[in-house]
Amino acid sequence: MINLSVIPKEPGCYIYRDIEKNIIYVGKAKNLKKRISSYFSKKNHDTKTQNLVKSIFDIEFIVTNNEIEALLLESILIKKHSPKYNIDLKDSKNYAYIYISEENFPRIGISRNKSEKGKFYGPFISAKERDYVLDILKKTFKIRSCKNMQKRPCLRHHIKNCTAPCTGNIASKKYLDQIKKAEYILKGNIESLISKLKDEMIIKSKNLQFEEAILIREEISAIENLKTKQNINRQKNYDEDIIAYIEKDGNIHIIVFNVLKGTLYDKKYFKFEYVENFFEEFLIQYYSENRPPSEIIISGFPKDFEDFSKEYNPNALLEFLSKKRESKVSFKVPKKGEKKELLNLAMKNLEILVLGNDLKVEALKNKLMLENPPKVIECFDISHLSGNFTVASMVQFRDGKADKKNYRRYKIKTVTGIDDFKSISEVVFRRYSKLLKENSKMPDLIIIDGGKGQLSSAFYELKKLNLKIPVVSIAKREEEIYAPGTENALPITKNEKASLFIQEIRDEAHRFAITYNKLLRKKDLIK
């Protein structure tokens, strides 16, 4: 049972158990009594901590000589018991890796499954960048990419992009030399590879092996182009982790960029419920499983960490990290320069990942000068084949993403031939007169696929129904956006976030309409 009077004022770890004796939380403190007492005396805990306190049936503690020992012990206990109320650090995304198989003649390709036998490089944040790197490596070093080696060469060999080990025309050693060159690049050792190749080229030239020297020169040129495109070689002799975090809806989202000797080589994303002192607990758990770098770059410490640091020495955390690394670790809070740019990049990636849909909705609100963010958007499109099988689609986006359960499709009943204006009038009237009859909630914004004519038709039907819903249209050719009562298009360029969001919604409505049109035509053909 809980007896706070026996808890010492020493540093150490505390263990909370529930009524079934299960370990539900492990923590550490500079002053065990003060820290444990705060759980029961403080009134304004977050929801998760309140639930934790309600579940505590018994408390154990282990006194240590100092805070460093407490940190080390805490990390061991959390790893061993995986308590319910400690944050669960499971990487939330499976990004693709460049993969080199473990075979006599290895192949190169893309994989998300690290259980395969072979070597993995990445993960790559950008699919475009990953594919570019893979393509350069395959062409430059003529590595096979086929899953099964056939008995005769494929097209890649005929266009001189593969040495075709399937034919037996290349020795294993020579092929593996090419694999090693690719691995040099994937590990970020571009400069040393270029230097090595230049030495080889000089030797080949001196030995009058000019054809081979030319091939090496072409390899060097391709590698230098890759280096320029990626800009991955920041001349640094130390490693860095860049950590950015966002709190949203009671959850913490953290992104970690791993930089090895100037090369960004990995990205991890974590999500867990907000708990007090989450940042410190995250650092301890994460670096219990991963070797700390020499520098940890952050935008700043959360306020609860700063408050906690008044009673808990933050230098102890650095000592813990330094012991794990076996050399000095430091925190950096950059204000400008290259490190700040890396931090901004990490935050930008995190915002896109966590707040991407919110940012799109907010951009649309600002550009259309709406009073409130358009959380529910409905978009209409008309599709027909030379005036036959005329149908309409209505797609709904909710909180920035498609809400497919609320999609609707319509056969146009009152229009014959090609008349998009009347078709829009019919479908808009049918949709919103039905919502009125059902006393259902109206959307925050309506988008019409078309120009000023289609917009006027929709606006007229809304006026007839006495509905004051903001409505705009988007014309395909220049992606111009129109609003009722304006002669010219709104000053929104087609590459702006708001316009791109409208285009995304319009394209989905277009896809849905065409799918229905094709379905009707197919049914008619079968009939």
Side-chain angles (χ1 to χ4, degrees):
M1 294 295 290
I2 298 171
N3 183 1
L4 299 179
S5 64
V6 301
I7 299 171
K9 297 180 180 179
E10 303 292 328
C13 284
Y14 53 94
I15 301 163
Y16 292 157
R17 293 181 182 271
D18 62 16
I19 196 166
E20 296 174 351
K21 300 295 181 182
N22 298 315
I23 293 176
I24 57 174
Y25 187 77
V26 174
K28 46 86 203 54
K30 179 181 178 181
N31 183 324
L32 282 167
K33 189 178 186 71
K34 187 174 182 181
R35 181 64 182 143
I36 294 171
S37 298
S38 71
Y39 280 91
F40 302 96
S41 59
K42 193 175 176 181
K43 301 298 181 186
N44 58 339
H45 287 301
D46 58 88
T47 304
K48 188 174 182 180
T49 307
Q50 288 174 18
N51 292 333
L52 165 63
V53 173
K54 288 176 185 176
S55 303
I56 298 170
F57 181 78
D58 196 11
I59 299 173
E60 296 176 24
F61 56 85
I62 302 170
V63 174
T64 59
N65 290 319
N66 51 54
E67 295 167 81
I68 304 301
E69 288 184 9
L71 285 164
L72 291 167
L73 178 60
E74 182 196 35
S75 67
I76 292 166
L77 292 173
I78 290 173
K79 185 176 178 182
K80 182 179 179 181
H81 300 290
S82 301
K84 176 181 177 180
Y85 286 96
N86 287 93
I87 59 179
D88 184 14
L89 297 188
K90 292 179 180 174
D91 199 350
S92 300
K93 284 258 183 199
N94 288 323
Y95 295 97
Y97 294 77
I98 288 180
Y99 164 72
I100 295 178
S101 66
E102 194 177 284
E103 300 174 71
N104 291 332
F105 292 93
R107 67 181 177 88
I108 192 168
I110 293 169
S111 178
R112 295 177 188 272
N113 180 12
K114 292 188 76 175
S115 62
E116 298 180 64
K117 287 186 177 180
K119 297 177 181 176
F120 292 81
Y121 300 91
F124 284 79
I125 299 159
S126 164
K128 185 177 179 182
E129 182 182 335
R130 176 202 66 212
D131 293 342
Y132 177 81
V133 172
L134 181 64
D135 189 52
I136 290 293
L137 293 178
K138 286 194 295 187
K139 288 179 180 176
T140 304
F141 303 115
K142 299 174 175 44
I143 303 170
R144 78 176 185 94
S145 56
C146 52
K147 289 191 176 180
N148 299 303
M149 286 208 298
Q150 306 300 322
K151 291 185 178 179
R152 57 182 182 178
C154 63
L155 179 63
R156 286 194 65 233
H157 173 67
H158 292 301
I159 61 175
K160 298 183 178 180
N161 280 345
C162 178
T163 51
C166 52
T167 63
N169 290 334
I170 183 170
S172 176
K173 184 180 182 304
K174 189 173 182 181
Y175 184 85
L176 291 175
D177 283 342
Q178 296 300 92
I179 291 289
K180 283 178 184 175
K181 290 174 185 176
E183 289 178 343
Y184 260 90
I185 289 174
L186 290 169
K187 289 175 181 176
N189 300 325
I190 290 181
E191 287 295 346
S192 59
L193 177 60
I194 290 173
S195 176
K196 185 179 177 184
L197 288 174
K198 284 180 177 177
D199 291 341
E200 281 185 32
M201 185 174 65
I202 292 168
I203 292 169
K204 298 288 184 187
S205 297
K206 285 181 179 177
N207 293 335
L208 306 180
Q209 296 170 290
F210 297 118
E211 285 187 10
E212 291 185 34
I214 288 170
L215 289 174
I216 294 172
R217 187 184 67 189
E218 289 173 353
E219 285 183 358
I220 292 170
S221 177
I223 294 166
E224 286 180 333
N225 286 338
L226 176 62
K227 174 188 162 187
T228 302
K229 172 144 180 102
Q230 285 190 295
N231 192 25
I232 62 173
N233 190 31
R234 294 165 54 233
Q235 292 295 327
K236 299 286 183 295
N237 58 4
Y238 52 83
D239 306 336
E240 303 160 318
D241 278 354
I242 295 93
I243 301 179
Y245 60 87
I246 290 174
E247 182 184 350
K248 183 176 185 288
D249 300 331
N251 291 313
I252 297 296
H253 304 263
I254 291 184
I255 197 166
V256 181
F257 275 10
N258 306 121
V259 178
L260 177 63
K261 289 182 172 53
T263 300
L264 174 61
Y265 73 97
D266 201 356
K267 174 186 118 170
K268 298 184 182 76
Y269 164 65
F270 302 95
K271 175 186 174 183
F272 49 85
E273 282 186 65
Y274 172 86
V275 290
E276 294 168 9
N277 310 311
F278 72 86
F279 193 64
E280 183 202 25
E281 188 176 338
F282 170 82
L283 293 173
I284 294 165
Q285 284 203 48
Y286 179 77
Y287 289 116
S288 294
E289 298 291 331
N290 301 276
R291 185 171 186 261
S294 57
E295 284 189 359
I296 300 174
I297 298 170
I298 57 175
S299 57
F301 292 105
K303 189 173 187 309
D304 62 355
F305 183 88
E306 292 173 353
D307 292 343
F308 188 49
S309 297
K310 292 172 185 176
E311 64 174 78
Y312 172 79
N313 181 7
N315 290 330
L317 179 59
L318 284 175
E319 284 186 50
F320 164 74
L321 296 173
S322 298
K323 278 185 179 292
K324 291 287 293 181
R325 180 179 169 79
E326 299 180 340
S327 62
K328 186 180 177 183
V329 175
S330 62
F331 287 118
K332 299 287 182 185
V333 184
K335 301 300 180 187
K336 59 181 180 179
E338 202 169 323
K339 290 183 175 64
K340 179 64 175 174
E341 289 174 10
L342 275 171
L343 191 59
N344 291 343
L345 179 64
M347 183 58 77
K348 182 178 180 182
N349 276 264
L350 188 58
E351 285 177 347
I352 291 169
L353 193 63
V354 179
L355 305 174
N357 293 324
D358 293 345
L359 295 173
K360 290 191 294 187
V361 172
E362 190 64 26
L364 202 51
K365 170 187 174 290
N366 294 335
K367 280 295 176 180
L368 298 181
M369 294 184 285
L370 303 174
E371 286 185 23
N372 300 302
K375 290 185 174 291
V376 179
I377 302 170
E378 294 185 349
C379 180
F380 295 87
D381 186 32
I382 304 296
S383 180
H384 57 77
L385 182 66
S386 302
N388 298 313
F389 305 102
T390 304
V391 298
S393 68
M394 190 284 293
V395 299
Q396 186 181 100
F397 273 57
R398 188 176 294 269
D399 294 320
K401 56 191 177 207
D403 185 7
K404 293 192 176 183
K405 70 178 184 298
N406 283 316
Y407 281 20
R408 298 291 183 269
R409 58 191 190 184
Y410 303 86
K411 284 182 186 177
I412 298 301
K413 300 175 180 177
T414 62
V415 180
T416 54
I418 301 173
D419 194 331
D420 285 359
F421 299 166
K422 287 184 179 178
S423 297
I424 282 288
S425 292
E426 178 187 324
V427 72
V428 168
F429 180 82
R430 284 169 62 185
R431 168 64 176 168
Y432 298 114
S433 60
K434 185 172 185 290
L435 290 187
L436 279 172
K437 197 176 291 183
E438 295 171 348
N439 200 26
S440 299
K441 194 174 186 303
M442 296 292 170
D444 302 310
L445 176 67
I446 297 169
I447 298 171
I448 305 297
D449 180 20
K452 289 188 284 185
Q454 286 91 338
L455 177 64
S456 296
S457 299
F459 185 62
Y460 177 74
E461 297 302 324
L462 292 172
K463 279 182 72 176
K464 275 185 7 185
L465 296 169
N466 291 317
L467 292 174
K468 295 181 180 180
I469 305 171
V471 57
V472 295
S473 70
I474 177 167
K476 280 190 180 71
R477 183 176 293 178
E478 295 298 329
E479 308 292 12
E480 291 178 326
I481 298 167
Y482 293 92
T486 58
E487 184 64 29
N488 300 317
L490 298 176
I492 305 173
T493 60
K494 62 182 179 182
N495 293 321
E496 288 185 63
K497 193 185 291 288
S499 179
L500 291 172
F501 185 31
I502 290 175
Q503 292 170 45
E504 177 190 349
I505 298 169
R506 184 274 318 278
D507 291 346
E508 177 64 0
H510 188 60
R511 179 201 65 79
F512 193 50
I514 287 177
T515 302
Y516 187 38
N517 179 270
K518 286 180 178 177
L519 177 65
L520 293 184
R521 282 153 46 196
K522 183 179 178 182
K523 284 182 177 178
D524 185 72
L525 187 63
I526 293 170
K527 185 178 176 181

